Amino acid sequence: MLARVDLELWARDACNAVKREDLIVVIDVLRSSTSIINALANGAKSVIPVSTLKEACDLHKTHPQYLLAGERAGLKPREFDLGNSPLDFNPEHVSGKNIVMTTTSGTVALARSREARWVLIGAFVNAEAVSKAADGIGERDEVGVSFVLSGEKGKFSLEDFVCAGAIIERLGRHKGRCSDKALAALLAFERARANLTENIMKAEHAKQLARLGFIHDVEFSCNLDITKTVPFYHNGKIVPL
Ligand code: MLT
């Protein structure tokens, strides 16, 4: 039976989930989780997340065939091939490629979770698929499932919290084993689901992205269950599970 379902509201608390030896689902709906999922769904071989621009550029020097992707302040760094728009990770750009990615918060949350045996990446676009994967592995290995919310620069993010609720809702019978934080996320999703895009648009980071001209990224990121791709972070690389 799947053990407890728990949630860490901030990436800095990922260490708690690692200590519990839980399977971790890292969520950064806007936008790195959605971009990574879309990259792998569109044929990228792997995504290699790094925390700093320097690490990304150094890795690119040794592997010039890798694509460089990511953002700072929401925008593509000048020397990079791709920004952090999920829509940019289309088959034409990414099929067959390895991608080095650095973003402000999402790749940092991944770095903080990397000691866990199982690290999956979730967003609205793969909510059903990541839920089924976490449920299956959790039950088989008798480990709990913890959601680690990336947030934005260490701040709580509404969209990541609501997305955790969407994934928890799809855990079916295991919903009963939620911590209060996990249950709160489920209740938030149940409240938000009828007008998901409209509700997520009210979030601070969504408004900031809209101001920068990325409203279509927010709209795309609010699509529920459009892919079965579940990214798995293992040995420094993210590959499809
Ligand atoms: C991040 O990792 O901080 C986000 O993905 C930022 C963004 O929306 O580009």
Side-chain angles (χ1 to χ4, degrees):
M1 182 192 215
L2 180 72
R4 212 170 144 80
V5 178
D6 214 332
L7 185 148
E8 299 300 336
L9 292 167
W10 293 282
R12 63 174 175 268
D13 288 337
C15 53
N16 298 332
V18 173
K19 267 190 225 141
R20 288 192 294 270
E21 301 188 353
D22 282 355
L23 175 152
I24 293 180
V25 179
V26 174
I27 302 178
D28 181 26
V29 170
L30 301 176
R31 296 167 287 172
S32 67
S33 291
T34 310
S35 292
I36 292 166
I37 295 162
N38 214 30
L40 296 181
N42 285 327
K45 268 196 206 152
S46 73
V47 177
I48 303 158
V50 296
S51 298
T52 65
L53 291 171
K54 180 171 179 335
E55 281 174 88
C57 293
D58 287 350
L59 196 53
H60 189 249
K61 268 185 210 140
T62 50
H63 301 278
Q65 73 281 20
Y66 288 3
L67 290 181
L68 273 177
E71 56 71 39
R72 285 299 179 270
L75 302 173
K76 177 173 91 66
R78 205 157 33 100
E79 66 275 29
F80 277 30
D81 303 293
L82 299 170
N84 191 26
S85 286
L87 299 167
D88 283 354
F89 293 80
N90 56 42
E92 194 193 330
H93 287 145
V94 303
S95 182
K97 305 279 187 188
N98 295 294
I99 304 167
V100 181
M101 181 184 245
T102 179
T103 68
T104 311
S105 309
T107 53
V108 176
L110 282 166
R112 292 196 164 160
S113 305
R114 71 170 165 235
E115 301 298 323
R117 174 153 177 248
W118 288 101
V119 181
L120 308 181
I121 293 171
F124 288 119
V125 293
N126 73 345
E128 173 78 20
V130 76
S131 178
K132 290 284 166 297
D135 201 3
I137 297 165
E139 188 153 356
R140 188 194 65 201
D141 292 4
E142 297 185 343
V143 293
V145 170
S146 276
F147 296 89
V148 169
L149 311 188
S150 298
E152 184 60 10
K153 294 187 189 152
K155 280 178 18 194
F156 174 82
S157 275
L158 176 75
E159 66 277 9
D160 295 344
F161 188 64
V162 172
C163 179
I167 300 170
I168 291 165
E169 198 239 9
R170 286 153 173 73
L171 285 173
R173 67 206 157 96
H174 298 301
K175 279 188 288 193
R177 301 185 54 79
C178 287
S179 69
D180 281 3
K181 278 184 283 184
L183 190 56
L186 174 62
L187 294 172
F189 172 67
E190 287 173 350
R191 175 67 196 252
R193 70 185 311 165
N195 298 301
L196 191 60
T197 307
E198 200 180 296
N199 282 314
I200 297 303
M201 281 292 182
K202 293 175 193 157
E204 288 173 34
H205 190 47
K207 287 195 259 187
Q208 186 199 348
L209 287 171
R211 278 196 296 276
L212 289 171
F214 295 126
I215 195 162
H216 297 307
D217 288 357
V218 182
E219 286 165 353
F220 177 79
S221 302
C222 290
N223 282 308
L224 267 167
D225 301 326
I226 57 168
T227 175
K228 293 194 186 321
T229 301
V230 177
F232 170 43
Y233 181 32
H234 184 60
N235 283 341
K237 275 190 179 182
I238 302 168
V239 293
L241 188 65

PDB file of all heavy atoms in Angstrom, residues 28-33 35 70-75 83-85 102-108 150-153 205 208-209 214 217, ligand 1:
ATOM      1  N   ASP A  28       7.102  22.707 -11.255  1.00  0.00           N
ATOM      2  CA  ASP A  28       7.266  24.126 -11.592  1.00  0.00           C
ATOM      3  C   ASP A  28       6.421  24.371 -12.845  1.00  0.00           C
ATOM      4  O   ASP A  28       6.944  24.403 -13.964  1.00  0.00           O
ATOM      5  CB  ASP A  28       8.738  24.477 -11.842  1.00  0.00           C
ATOM      6  CG  ASP A  28       8.919  25.952 -12.176  1.00  0.00           C
ATOM      7  OD1 ASP A  28       8.081  26.766 -11.753  1.00  0.00           O
ATOM      8  OD2 ASP A  28       9.899  26.289 -12.881  1.00  0.00           O
ATOM      9  N   VAL A  29       5.111  24.511 -12.615  1.00  0.00           N
ATOM     10  CA  VAL A  29       4.168  24.629 -13.739  1.00  0.00           C
ATOM     11  C   VAL A  29       4.610  25.743 -14.689  1.00  0.00           C
ATOM     12  O   VAL A  29       4.609  25.573 -15.918  1.00  0.00           O
ATOM     13  CB  VAL A  29       2.740  24.915 -13.205  1.00  0.00           C
ATOM     14  CG1 VAL A  29       1.801  25.289 -14.329  1.00  0.00           C
ATOM     15  CG2 VAL A  29       2.219  23.719 -12.442  1.00  0.00           C
ATOM     16  N   LEU A  30       4.962  26.905 -14.123  1.00  0.00           N
ATOM     17  CA  LEU A  30       5.378  28.068 -14.932  1.00  0.00           C
ATOM     18  C   LEU A  30       6.859  28.323 -14.675  1.00  0.00           C
ATOM     19  O   LEU A  30       7.196  29.013 -13.742  1.00  0.00           O
ATOM     20  CB  LEU A  30       4.553  29.298 -14.540  1.00  0.00           C
ATOM     21  CG  LEU A  30       3.030  29.173 -14.718  1.00  0.00           C
ATOM     22  CD1 LEU A  30       2.332  30.422 -14.191  1.00  0.00           C
ATOM     23  CD2 LEU A  30       2.671  28.941 -16.177  1.00  0.00           C
ATOM     24  N   ARG A  31       7.755  27.847 -15.559  1.00  0.00           N
ATOM     25  CA  ARG A  31       7.378  27.083 -16.697  1.00  0.00           C
ATOM     26  C   ARG A  31       8.270  25.863 -16.882  1.00  0.00           C
ATOM     27  O   ARG A  31       8.094  25.098 -17.827  1.00  0.00           O
ATOM     28  CB  ARG A  31       7.540  27.957 -17.974  1.00  0.00           C
ATOM     29  CG  ARG A  31       6.623  29.172 -18.034  1.00  0.00           C
ATOM     30  CD  ARG A  31       7.043  30.147 -19.134  1.00  0.00           C
ATOM     31  NE  ARG A  31       8.255  30.869 -18.771  1.00  0.00           N
ATOM     32  CZ  ARG A  31       8.937  31.663 -19.593  1.00  0.00           C
ATOM     33  NH1 ARG A  31       8.528  31.828 -20.839  1.00  0.00           N
ATOM     34  NH2 ARG A  31      10.023  32.277 -19.175  1.00  0.00           N
ATOM     35  N   SER A  32       9.269  25.690 -16.002  1.00  0.00           N
ATOM     36  CA  SER A  32      10.308  24.714 -16.361  1.00  0.00           C
ATOM     37  C   SER A  32       9.791  23.275 -16.408  1.00  0.00           C
ATOM     38  O   SER A  32      10.202  22.504 -17.283  1.00  0.00           O
ATOM     39  CB  SER A  32      11.530  24.836 -15.451  1.00  0.00           C
ATOM     40  OG  SER A  32      11.222  24.451 -14.146  1.00  0.00           O
ATOM     41  N   SER A  33       8.858  22.893 -15.489  1.00  0.00           N
ATOM     42  CA  SER A  33       8.343  21.510 -15.563  1.00  0.00           C
ATOM     43  C   SER A  33       7.629  21.293 -16.888  1.00  0.00           C
ATOM     44  O   SER A  33       7.820  20.269 -17.562  1.00  0.00           O
ATOM     45  CB  SER A  33       7.354  21.225 -14.424  1.00  0.00           C
ATOM     46  OG  SER A  33       7.998  21.176 -13.193  1.00  0.00           O
ATOM     47  N   SER A  35       8.030  22.859 -19.672  1.00  0.00           N
ATOM     48  CA  SER A  35       8.992  22.870 -20.783  1.00  0.00           C
ATOM     49  C   SER A  35       9.746  21.544 -20.888  1.00  0.00           C
ATOM     50  O   SER A  35       9.933  21.009 -21.990  1.00  0.00           O
ATOM     51  CB  SER A  35       9.995  24.021 -20.602  1.00  0.00           C
ATOM     52  OG  SER A  35       9.335  25.252 -20.755  1.00  0.00           O
ATOM     53  N   GLY A  70      16.889  27.947 -21.265  1.00  0.00           N
ATOM     54  CA  GLY A  70      16.580  28.449 -19.922  1.00  0.00           C
ATOM     55  C   GLY A  70      16.247  29.923 -19.923  1.00  0.00           C
ATOM     56  O   GLY A  70      15.990  30.524 -20.975  1.00  0.00           O
ATOM     57  N   GLU A  71      16.248  30.478 -18.726  1.00  0.00           N
ATOM     58  CA  GLU A  71      15.883  31.892 -18.606  1.00  0.00           C
ATOM     59  C   GLU A  71      16.530  32.524 -17.386  1.00  0.00           C
ATOM     60  O   GLU A  71      16.935  31.816 -16.451  1.00  0.00           O
ATOM     61  CB  GLU A  71      14.366  32.060 -18.507  1.00  0.00           C
ATOM     62  CG  GLU A  71      13.676  31.305 -17.381  1.00  0.00           C
ATOM     63  CD  GLU A  71      13.899  31.789 -15.963  1.00  0.00           C
ATOM     64  OE1 GLU A  71      13.949  33.019 -15.756  1.00  0.00           O
ATOM     65  OE2 GLU A  71      14.047  30.937 -15.066  1.00  0.00           O
ATOM     66  N   ARG A  72      16.621  33.832 -17.431  1.00  0.00           N
ATOM     67  CA  ARG A  72      16.849  34.648 -16.251  1.00  0.00           C
ATOM     68  C   ARG A  72      15.887  35.832 -16.385  1.00  0.00           C
ATOM     69  O   ARG A  72      15.758  36.405 -17.479  1.00  0.00           O
ATOM     70  CB  ARG A  72      18.306  35.155 -16.164  1.00  0.00           C
ATOM     71  CG  ARG A  72      19.307  34.074 -15.733  1.00  0.00           C
ATOM     72  CD  ARG A  72      19.008  33.511 -14.342  1.00  0.00           C
ATOM     73  NE  ARG A  72      19.962  32.461 -13.943  1.00  0.00           N
ATOM     74  CZ  ARG A  72      19.805  31.168 -14.180  1.00  0.00           C
ATOM     75  NH1 ARG A  72      18.748  30.719 -14.836  1.00  0.00           N
ATOM     76  NH2 ARG A  72      20.692  30.300 -13.731  1.00  0.00           N
ATOM     77  N   ALA A  73      15.189  36.130 -15.278  1.00  0.00           N
ATOM     78  CA  ALA A  73      14.128  37.156 -15.286  1.00  0.00           C
ATOM     79  C   ALA A  73      13.097  36.849 -16.381  1.00  0.00           C
ATOM     80  O   ALA A  73      12.530  37.767 -16.989  1.00  0.00           O
ATOM     81  CB  ALA A  73      14.719  38.553 -15.452  1.00  0.00           C
ATOM     82  N   GLY A  74      12.891  35.574 -16.649  1.00  0.00           N
ATOM     83  CA  GLY A  74      11.874  35.154 -17.616  1.00  0.00           C
ATOM     84  C   GLY A  74      12.355  35.126 -19.060  1.00  0.00           C
ATOM     85  O   GLY A  74      11.682  34.572 -19.923  1.00  0.00           O
ATOM     86  N   LEU A  75      13.520  35.720 -19.321  1.00  0.00           N
ATOM     87  CA  LEU A  75      13.958  35.875 -20.721  1.00  0.00           C
ATOM     88  C   LEU A  75      15.128  34.957 -21.059  1.00  0.00           C
ATOM     89  O   LEU A  75      15.939  34.602 -20.184  1.00  0.00           O
ATOM     90  CB  LEU A  75      14.365  37.324 -20.976  1.00  0.00           C
ATOM     91  CG  LEU A  75      13.265  38.362 -20.696  1.00  0.00           C
ATOM     92  CD1 LEU A  75      13.819  39.780 -20.817  1.00  0.00           C
ATOM     93  CD2 LEU A  75      12.074  38.160 -21.629  1.00  0.00           C
ATOM     94  N   GLY A  83      14.713  29.664 -24.953  1.00  0.00           N
ATOM     95  CA  GLY A  83      14.371  30.244 -23.654  1.00  0.00           C
ATOM     96  C   GLY A  83      13.715  29.191 -22.774  1.00  0.00           C
ATOM     97  O   GLY A  83      14.139  28.032 -22.760  1.00  0.00           O
ATOM     98  N   ASN A  84      12.658  29.593 -22.078  1.00  0.00           N
ATOM     99  CA  ASN A  84      11.950  28.649 -21.205  1.00  0.00           C
ATOM    100  C   ASN A  84      10.469  28.597 -21.573  1.00  0.00           C
ATOM    101  O   ASN A  84       9.632  28.323 -20.727  1.00  0.00           O
ATOM    102  CB  ASN A  84      12.135  29.072 -19.732  1.00  0.00           C
ATOM    103  CG  ASN A  84      11.655  28.020 -18.761  1.00  0.00           C
ATOM    104  OD1 ASN A  84      11.624  26.832 -19.094  1.00  0.00           O
ATOM    105  ND2 ASN A  84      11.267  28.437 -17.565  1.00  0.00           N
ATOM    106  N   SER A  85      10.154  28.876 -22.838  1.00  0.00           N
ATOM    107  CA  SER A  85       8.768  28.780 -23.293  1.00  0.00           C
ATOM    108  C   SER A  85       8.488  27.331 -23.667  1.00  0.00           C
ATOM    109  O   SER A  85       9.137  26.803 -24.575  1.00  0.00           O
ATOM    110  CB  SER A  85       8.540  29.619 -24.556  1.00  0.00           C
ATOM    111  OG  SER A  85       8.515  30.965 -24.235  1.00  0.00           O
ATOM    112  N   THR A 102      18.984  25.750 -17.567  1.00  0.00           N
ATOM    113  CA  THR A 102      19.074  26.435 -16.268  1.00  0.00           C
ATOM    114  C   THR A 102      17.964  27.477 -16.178  1.00  0.00           C
ATOM    115  O   THR A 102      17.773  28.266 -17.107  1.00  0.00           O
ATOM    116  CB  THR A 102      20.458  27.080 -16.038  1.00  0.00           C
ATOM    117  OG1 THR A 102      20.436  27.737 -14.764  1.00  0.00           O
ATOM    118  CG2 THR A 102      20.858  28.075 -17.118  1.00  0.00           C
ATOM    119  N   THR A 103      17.206  27.416 -15.062  1.00  0.00           N
ATOM    120  CA  THR A 103      16.149  28.414 -14.852  1.00  0.00           C
ATOM    121  C   THR A 103      16.283  28.958 -13.432  1.00  0.00           C
ATOM    122  O   THR A 103      17.030  28.417 -12.617  1.00  0.00           O
ATOM    123  CB  THR A 103      14.743  27.800 -15.050  1.00  0.00           C
ATOM    124  OG1 THR A 103      14.488  26.873 -14.003  1.00  0.00           O
ATOM    125  CG2 THR A 103      14.606  27.109 -16.397  1.00  0.00           C
ATOM    126  N   THR A 104      15.547  30.014 -13.155  1.00  0.00           N
ATOM    127  CA  THR A 104      15.728  30.697 -11.869  1.00  0.00           C
ATOM    128  C   THR A 104      15.398  29.792 -10.684  1.00  0.00           C
ATOM    129  O   THR A 104      16.152  29.736  -9.717  1.00  0.00           O
ATOM    130  CB  THR A 104      14.829  31.957 -11.818  1.00  0.00           C
ATOM    131  OG1 THR A 104      15.031  32.688 -13.019  1.00  0.00           O
ATOM    132  CG2 THR A 104      15.154  32.829 -10.630  1.00  0.00           C
ATOM    133  N   SER A 105      14.278  29.090 -10.754  1.00  0.00           N
ATOM    134  CA  SER A 105      13.834  28.320  -9.583  1.00  0.00           C
ATOM    135  C   SER A 105      13.671  26.819  -9.853  1.00  0.00           C
ATOM    136  O   SER A 105      13.997  25.998  -8.999  1.00  0.00           O
ATOM    137  CB  SER A 105      12.490  28.861  -9.073  1.00  0.00           C
ATOM    138  OG  SER A 105      12.567  30.249  -8.896  1.00  0.00           O
ATOM    139  N   GLY A 106      13.152  26.465 -11.032  1.00  0.00           N
ATOM    140  CA  GLY A 106      12.815  25.062 -11.300  1.00  0.00           C
ATOM    141  C   GLY A 106      14.025  24.156 -11.249  1.00  0.00           C
ATOM    142  O   GLY A 106      13.985  23.080 -10.619  1.00  0.00           O
ATOM    143  N   THR A 107      15.105  24.541 -11.899  1.00  0.00           N
ATOM    144  CA  THR A 107      16.270  23.647 -11.914  1.00  0.00           C
ATOM    145  C   THR A 107      16.959  23.635 -10.542  1.00  0.00           C
ATOM    146  O   THR A 107      17.632  22.669 -10.190  1.00  0.00           O
ATOM    147  CB  THR A 107      17.262  24.029 -13.038  1.00  0.00           C
ATOM    148  OG1 THR A 107      17.605  25.409 -12.944  1.00  0.00           O
ATOM    149  CG2 THR A 107      16.674  23.748 -14.409  1.00  0.00           C
ATOM    150  N   VAL A 108      16.739  24.683  -9.751  1.00  0.00           N
ATOM    151  CA  VAL A 108      17.284  24.704  -8.388  1.00  0.00           C
ATOM    152  C   VAL A 108      16.512  23.704  -7.518  1.00  0.00           C
ATOM    153  O   VAL A 108      17.099  22.951  -6.724  1.00  0.00           O
ATOM    154  CB  VAL A 108      17.209  26.144  -7.809  1.00  0.00           C
ATOM    155  CG1 VAL A 108      17.667  26.181  -6.363  1.00  0.00           C
ATOM    156  CG2 VAL A 108      18.049  27.099  -8.662  1.00  0.00           C
ATOM    157  N   SER A 150       8.385  24.220  -6.641  1.00  0.00           N
ATOM    158  CA  SER A 150       9.552  25.065  -6.940  1.00  0.00           C
ATOM    159  C   SER A 150       9.337  26.484  -6.459  1.00  0.00           C
ATOM    160  O   SER A 150      10.249  27.131  -5.974  1.00  0.00           O
ATOM    161  CB  SER A 150       9.808  25.111  -8.443  1.00  0.00           C
ATOM    162  OG  SER A 150      10.099  23.834  -8.900  1.00  0.00           O
ATOM    163  N   GLY A 151       8.098  26.988  -6.635  1.00  0.00           N
ATOM    164  CA  GLY A 151       7.853  28.389  -6.298  1.00  0.00           C
ATOM    165  C   GLY A 151       8.656  29.299  -7.203  1.00  0.00           C
ATOM    166  O   GLY A 151       9.259  28.871  -8.199  1.00  0.00           O
ATOM    167  N   GLU A 152       8.687  30.553  -6.854  1.00  0.00           N
ATOM    168  CA  GLU A 152       9.415  31.528  -7.662  1.00  0.00           C
ATOM    169  C   GLU A 152      10.343  32.291  -6.733  1.00  0.00           C
ATOM    170  O   GLU A 152       9.882  33.004  -5.837  1.00  0.00           O
ATOM    171  CB  GLU A 152       8.414  32.452  -8.392  1.00  0.00           C
ATOM    172  CG  GLU A 152       9.021  33.456  -9.332  1.00  0.00           C
ATOM    173  CD  GLU A 152       9.830  32.836 -10.481  1.00  0.00           C
ATOM    174  OE1 GLU A 152       9.795  31.606 -10.692  1.00  0.00           O
ATOM    175  OE2 GLU A 152      10.538  33.615 -11.146  1.00  0.00           O
ATOM    176  N   LYS A 153      11.637  32.101  -6.912  1.00  0.00           N
ATOM    177  CA  LYS A 153      12.656  32.732  -6.060  1.00  0.00           C
ATOM    178  C   LYS A 153      12.349  32.519  -4.578  1.00  0.00           C
ATOM    179  O   LYS A 153      12.314  33.474  -3.788  1.00  0.00           O
ATOM    180  CB  LYS A 153      12.749  34.223  -6.373  1.00  0.00           C
ATOM    181  CG  LYS A 153      13.256  34.514  -7.762  1.00  0.00           C
ATOM    182  CD  LYS A 153      13.481  35.999  -7.921  1.00  0.00           C
ATOM    183  CE  LYS A 153      13.786  36.356  -9.343  1.00  0.00           C
ATOM    184  NZ  LYS A 153      13.396  37.697  -9.695  1.00  0.00           N
ATOM    185  N   HIS A 205       3.110  34.952 -10.686  1.00  0.00           N
ATOM    186  CA  HIS A 205       4.078  34.632 -11.744  1.00  0.00           C
ATOM    187  C   HIS A 205       3.403  34.608 -13.116  1.00  0.00           C
ATOM    188  O   HIS A 205       4.010  35.001 -14.120  1.00  0.00           O
ATOM    189  CB  HIS A 205       4.770  33.305 -11.436  1.00  0.00           C
ATOM    190  CG  HIS A 205       5.930  33.015 -12.333  1.00  0.00           C
ATOM    191  ND1 HIS A 205       6.901  33.950 -12.622  1.00  0.00           N
ATOM    192  CD2 HIS A 205       6.267  31.906 -13.025  1.00  0.00           C
ATOM    193  CE1 HIS A 205       7.776  33.419 -13.454  1.00  0.00           C
ATOM    194  NE2 HIS A 205       7.414  32.182 -13.725  1.00  0.00           N
ATOM    195  N   GLN A 208       3.149  38.123 -14.243  1.00  0.00           N
ATOM    196  CA  GLN A 208       4.470  38.619 -14.674  1.00  0.00           C
ATOM    197  C   GLN A 208       4.800  38.088 -16.081  1.00  0.00           C
ATOM    198  O   GLN A 208       5.287  38.825 -16.945  1.00  0.00           O
ATOM    199  CB  GLN A 208       5.518  38.168 -13.663  1.00  0.00           C
ATOM    200  CG  GLN A 208       6.896  38.729 -13.895  1.00  0.00           C
ATOM    201  CD  GLN A 208       7.958  37.894 -13.174  1.00  0.00           C
ATOM    202  OE1 GLN A 208       7.646  37.035 -12.344  1.00  0.00           O
ATOM    203  NE2 GLN A 208       9.205  38.145 -13.508  1.00  0.00           N
ATOM    204  N   LEU A 209       4.502  36.793 -16.299  1.00  0.00           N
ATOM    205  CA  LEU A 209       4.774  36.212 -17.624  1.00  0.00           C
ATOM    206  C   LEU A 209       3.899  36.880 -18.694  1.00  0.00           C
ATOM    207  O   LEU A 209       4.365  37.142 -19.808  1.00  0.00           O
ATOM    208  CB  LEU A 209       4.541  34.700 -17.604  1.00  0.00           C
ATOM    209  CG  LEU A 209       5.600  33.882 -16.857  1.00  0.00           C
ATOM    210  CD1 LEU A 209       5.150  32.424 -16.702  1.00  0.00           C
ATOM    211  CD2 LEU A 209       6.953  33.934 -17.563  1.00  0.00           C
ATOM    212  N   PHE A 214       4.322  36.421 -22.497  1.00  0.00           N
ATOM    213  CA  PHE A 214       4.284  34.954 -22.540  1.00  0.00           C
ATOM    214  C   PHE A 214       2.924  34.387 -22.122  1.00  0.00           C
ATOM    215  O   PHE A 214       2.851  33.309 -21.527  1.00  0.00           O
ATOM    216  CB  PHE A 214       5.378  34.367 -21.635  1.00  0.00           C
ATOM    217  CG  PHE A 214       6.779  34.678 -22.088  1.00  0.00           C
ATOM    218  CD1 PHE A 214       7.687  35.283 -21.224  1.00  0.00           C
ATOM    219  CD2 PHE A 214       7.204  34.355 -23.369  1.00  0.00           C
ATOM    220  CE1 PHE A 214       8.987  35.558 -21.617  1.00  0.00           C
ATOM    221  CE2 PHE A 214       8.510  34.630 -23.783  1.00  0.00           C
ATOM    222  CZ  PHE A 214       9.400  35.235 -22.901  1.00  0.00           C
ATOM    223  N   ASP A 217       2.232  30.858 -23.071  1.00  0.00           N
ATOM    224  CA  ASP A 217       2.898  29.833 -22.251  1.00  0.00           C
ATOM    225  C   ASP A 217       2.024  29.469 -21.058  1.00  0.00           C
ATOM    226  O   ASP A 217       1.918  28.296 -20.685  1.00  0.00           O
ATOM    227  CB  ASP A 217       4.241  30.348 -21.704  1.00  0.00           C
ATOM    228  CG  ASP A 217       5.298  30.466 -22.778  1.00  0.00           C
ATOM    229  OD1 ASP A 217       5.011  30.106 -23.932  1.00  0.00           O
ATOM    230  OD2 ASP A 217       6.410  30.920 -22.455  1.00  0.00           O
TER     231      ASP A 217
HETATM  232  C1  MLT B   1      11.815  29.156 -13.037  1.00  0.00           C
HETATM  233  O1  MLT B   1      12.408  28.056 -13.034  1.00  0.00           O
HETATM  234  O2  MLT B   1      12.094  30.055 -12.239  1.00  0.00           O
HETATM  235  C2  MLT B   1      10.679  29.400 -13.976  1.00  0.00           C
HETATM  236  O3  MLT B   1      10.522  28.330 -14.843  1.00  0.00           O
HETATM  237  C3  MLT B   1      10.750  30.785 -14.524  1.00  0.00           C
HETATM  238  C4  MLT B   1      10.036  31.006 -15.861  1.00  0.00           C
HETATM  239  O4  MLT B   1       8.814  31.106 -15.908  1.00  0.00           O
HETATM  240  O5  MLT B   1      10.697  31.080 -16.880  1.00  0.00           O
END
